[in-house]
């Protein structure tokens, strides 16, 4: 077994226009001061990193790594969640997702998709230059508008959707493979990869690509009423990244999983700061440790009630207290009798 690395923090939700949240150097110092040991860097914000430059220049990548290391931190992974969303976007969502792309690509779906694909390929090379072995992203979605089967889906629609999604991602997956990096999809509502069954269909459509891996985030499974502990039992071999995020689901006679178009504060399912929700993190950390998960435990803070800085301050010790330092010997070694082949045969009656 291996001890999970951490605590880490995903910086995306904390970026801002004022110090210490407006530069990589200052936000890393802030995170280190709270007790974090690693940062997951969002690659769409130029204040954090120039992704193309990090892909094309090892010197620049070393400079970014040096800024992080100078604060006493490590880079856990890079994130291309926003760019990954744009690899596959149904036209119904074009305007809503246009803000994820540069201004000169908005309103031009082919150009936007090409930009997104290139961004992911840059991420593969940048991850290699930074010495990373895992990367966090979204799958995008072509079929999300059909997630509920009404109207009835035409025969072959789902198969065609996953075939197209796989075709878009295969060149990217191959680039990650060439650079020795696992591509970890965050399984998330709004993505075609939103649960285990949809991930399996995608994996099959890619020919079981060895780099098509998973970012595990139990909060999204709480909101779907999915067994997030059994999920680890099923998919542990593919889990290469981990967002530590809490959530709660409190259905009422008025609203359930779909939320009734209500805002986050009124939805039955909502994200919470660590320790304020319903996720059984003791069991989550135990299972991941049991299955030799060797990556980082990275806090992703999202809460509609608590202030983010309080969530971050509480998050580092929360994760630290849940990380299990693995044992190097069996608890009953004191009662062992050593290896004795003849004894073993006698015990077996041989």
């Amino acid at each position: 077994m291996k001890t999970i690395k951490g605590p880490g923090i995903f910086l995306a939700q904390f970026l801002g226009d004022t110090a210490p949240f407006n530069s990589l150097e200052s936000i890393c110092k802030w995170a280190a001061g709270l007790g974090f040991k690693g940062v997951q860097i969002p690659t769409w914000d130029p204040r954090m990193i120039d992704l193309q430059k990090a892909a094309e220049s090892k010197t620049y990548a070393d400079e970014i790594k040096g800024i992080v290391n100078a604060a006493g931190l490590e880079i856990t992974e890079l994130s291309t969640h926003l760019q990954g969303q744009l690899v596959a976007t149904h036209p119904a969502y074009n305007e809503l997702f246009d803000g994820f792309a540069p201004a000169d690509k908005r309103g031009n779906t082919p150009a936007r998709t090409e930009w997104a694909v290139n961004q992911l390929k840059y991420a593969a090379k940048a991850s290699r230059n930074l010495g990373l072995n895992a990367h966090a992203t979204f799958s995008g979605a072509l079929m999300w508008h059909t997630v509920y089967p009404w109207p009835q889906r035409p025969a072959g629609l789902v198969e065609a959707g996953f075939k197209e999604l796989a075709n878009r991602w295969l060149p990217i997956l191959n680039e990650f493979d060439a650079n020795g990096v696992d591509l970890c999809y965050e399984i998330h509502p709004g993505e075609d990869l939103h649960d285990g069954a949809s991930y399996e269909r995608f994996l099959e459509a890619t020919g079981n690509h060895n780099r098509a891996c998973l970012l595990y985030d139990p909060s999204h499974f709480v909101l779907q009423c999915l067994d997030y502990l059994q999920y680890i039992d099923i998919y542990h071999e593919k889990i290469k990244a981990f967002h530590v995020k809490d959530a709660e689901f409190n259905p009422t006679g008025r609203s359930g999983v779909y939320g009734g178009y209500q805002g986050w504060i009124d939805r039955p399912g909502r994200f919470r700061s660590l320790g304020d929700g319903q996720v059984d993190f003791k069991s989550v950390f135990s299972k991941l440790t049991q299955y030799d998960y060797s990556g980082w435990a990275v806090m992703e803070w999202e809460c509609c009630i608590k202030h983010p800085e309080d969530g971050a301050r509480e998050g580092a010790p929360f994760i630290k207290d849940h990380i299990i330092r693995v044992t190097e010997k069996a608890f009953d070694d004191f009662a062992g009798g050593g290896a004795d082949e003849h004894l073993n045969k006698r015990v077996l009656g041989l």
Side-chain angles (χ1 to χ4, degrees), residues 5 9 25 30 32 72 104 108 132 155 168 175 210 229 271 275 338:
K5 293 180 284 189
I9 182 173
E25 181 179 9
W30 167 78
D104 63 342
N108 185 339
L132 306 174
R168 295 192 185 197
E175 186 70 22
N210 65 312
L229 295 177
F271 303 123

Side-chain angles (χ1 to χ4, degrees), residues 304-325:
C304 54
I305 298 176
K306 184 171 286 184
H307 193 283
E309 292 182 43
D310 292 336
R313 177 177 49 80
E314 296 169 0
F318 183 92
I319 294 175
K320 181 180 178 182
D321 289 346
H322 280 81
I323 290 175
I324 300 168
R325 184 162 67 103

Side-chain angles (χ1 to χ4, degrees), residues 216-222 225-237 239 242 278-291 322:
Y216 175 73
D217 183 336
S219 68
H220 300 301
F221 302 148
V222 170
C225 301
L226 185 153
D227 188 330
Y228 57 86
L229 295 177
Q230 189 179 80
Y231 181 97
I232 299 174
D233 291 327
I234 298 170
Y235 301 111
H236 58 89
E237 292 181 354
I239 295 172
F242 174 25
Q278 298 168 350
V279 175
D280 178 3
F281 281 109
K282 284 189 176 181
S283 295
V284 167
F285 275 83
S286 291
K287 278 190 176 290
L288 288 173
T289 302
Q290 169 190 342
Y291 288 121
H322 280 81

Side-chain angles (χ1 to χ4, degrees), residues 18-274:
T18 58
F21 307 110
N22 57 351
S23 76
L24 181 61
E25 181 179 9
S26 59
I27 201 170
C28 282
K29 290 179 180 177
W30 167 78
L34 295 176
F36 289 100
K37 302 298 181 183
V39 289
Q40 187 177 87
I41 298 178
T43 61
W44 54 85
D45 192 313
R47 294 173 297 186
M48 297 295 104
I49 191 172
D50 182 325
L51 185 57
Q52 181 175 352
K53 193 173 180 180
E56 295 175 347
S57 170
K58 182 66 166 61
T59 300
Y60 173 75
D62 287 342
E63 291 173 1
I64 292 294
K65 190 175 180 179
I67 291 172
V68 176
N69 292 164
L73 303 173
E74 296 181 49
I75 301 173
T76 66
E77 301 92 8
L78 299 179
S79 156
T80 54
H81 283 80
L82 301 194
Q83 300 99 313
Q85 184 77 59
L86 299 181
V87 170
T89 302
H90 189 275
Y93 301 99
N94 270 342
E95 290 192 60
L96 294 174
F97 284 135
D98 246 358
F100 290 180
D104 63 342
K105 302 296 188 296
R106 296 170 189 171
N108 185 339
T109 301
R112 191 185 66 188
T113 302
E114 181 182 10
W115 171 83
V117 170
N118 287 334
Q119 284 280 294
L120 267 294
K121 290 181 178 179
Y122 289 143
K125 295 175 182 176
S127 295
R128 179 200 62 200
N129 284 341
L130 290 164
L132 306 174
N133 56 22
H135 179 78
T137 197
F138 278 151
S139 70
L142 301 173
M143 296 173 285
W144 181 250
H145 63 298
T146 71
V147 68
Y148 192 82
W150 179 258
Q152 186 182 43
R153 301 187 193 103
L157 175 75
V158 175
E159 290 77 9
F162 278 110
K163 181 179 180 181
E164 175 62 23
L165 191 67
N167 286 342
R168 295 192 185 197
W169 279 101
L170 275 169
I172 299 170
L173 286 163
N174 289 338
E175 186 70 22
F176 272 86
D177 193 32
N179 286 278
V181 180
D182 290 323
L183 185 53
C184 305
Y185 295 99
E186 181 170 356
I187 304 303
H188 189 288
E191 313 302 318
D192 280 341
L193 276 58
H194 56 272
D195 60 10
S198 54
Y199 168 69
E200 289 177 17
R201 296 192 78 147
F202 174 74
L203 188 61
E204 182 180 8
T206 67
N208 294 307
H209 201 289
N210 65 312
R211 296 295 180 180
C213 296
L214 295 168
L215 185 161
Y216 175 73
D217 183 336
S219 68
H220 300 301
F221 302 148
V222 170
L223 270 56
Q224 293 185 66
C225 301
L226 185 153
D227 188 330
Y228 57 86
L229 295 177
Q230 189 179 80
Y231 181 97
I232 299 174
D233 291 327
I234 298 170
Y235 301 111
H236 58 89
E237 292 181 354
K238 285 293 189 177
I239 295 172
K240 305 295 183 180
F242 174 25
H243 273 175
V244 188
K245 189 168 73 173
D246 213 341
E248 63 184 356
F249 182 65
N250 300 302
T252 70
R254 298 179 61 246
S255 186
V257 170
Y258 299 110
Y261 300 107
Q262 298 173 102
W264 280 110
I265 194 69
D266 296 316
R267 294 175 66 89
R270 56 189 186 179
F271 303 123
R272 298 299 308 274
S273 279
L274 291 182

